[in-house]
Amino acid sequence: MVVGVATFTVFMPGVGSLKGKRSILNSVKGRVRSRFNASIAEVGELDLWQKATLGVALVSNDRRHANSLLEKIRAQIEREDRLNVVDYSIEIE
């Protein structure tokens, strides 16, 4: 069993409230869950309006498959037009 974990720090310019932030993040999380069947949650910067840290986790039977899925998730998040990925890390164990 292989576990893949990724964290993404994102910046959302123009967001002026936690409600606006949650709206953006909920749509991003919904797309990742439905398309990749991965777990995703907001794990940091919970009280900041324009910044968030997202954590993604998945289980696979192959390291290459886990890495490939996490890279596809990274690309999906980077394509979002209402946020910018500032930093990310991927770990495969």
Side-chain angles (χ1 to χ4, degrees):
M1 177 174 67
V2 177
V3 178
V5 177
T7 57
F8 300 92
T9 302
V10 298
F11 179 73
M12 294 160 280
V15 174
S17 68
L18 289 175
K19 186 176 180 179
K21 173 185 174 178
R22 300 285 186 263
S23 173
I24 293 169
L25 293 180
N26 283 338
S27 65
V28 170
K29 293 186 300 185
R31 278 192 282 281
V32 169
R33 283 184 188 121
S34 67
R35 182 166 182 205
F36 299 101
N37 195 24
S39 297
I40 182 169
E42 183 181 3
V43 296
E45 280 75 322
L46 301 175
D47 294 330
L48 299 178
W49 293 356
Q50 295 182 331
K51 187 176 178 185
T53 300
L54 297 172
V56 179
L58 55 86
V59 177
S60 179
N61 60 353
D62 181 47
R63 292 180 70 83
R64 289 179 300 190
H65 181 254
N67 189 50
S68 173
L69 280 178
L70 289 172
E71 285 295 335
K72 288 177 183 177
I73 291 169
R74 178 195 55 79
Q76 172 72 36
I77 292 173
E78 286 182 339
R79 278 194 299 271
E80 296 290 332
D81 58 349
R82 297 182 291 172
L83 59 81
N84 301 318
V85 176
V86 179
D87 189 27
Y88 74 94
S89 68
I90 294 176
E91 296 178 33
I92 308 290
E93 296 183 19

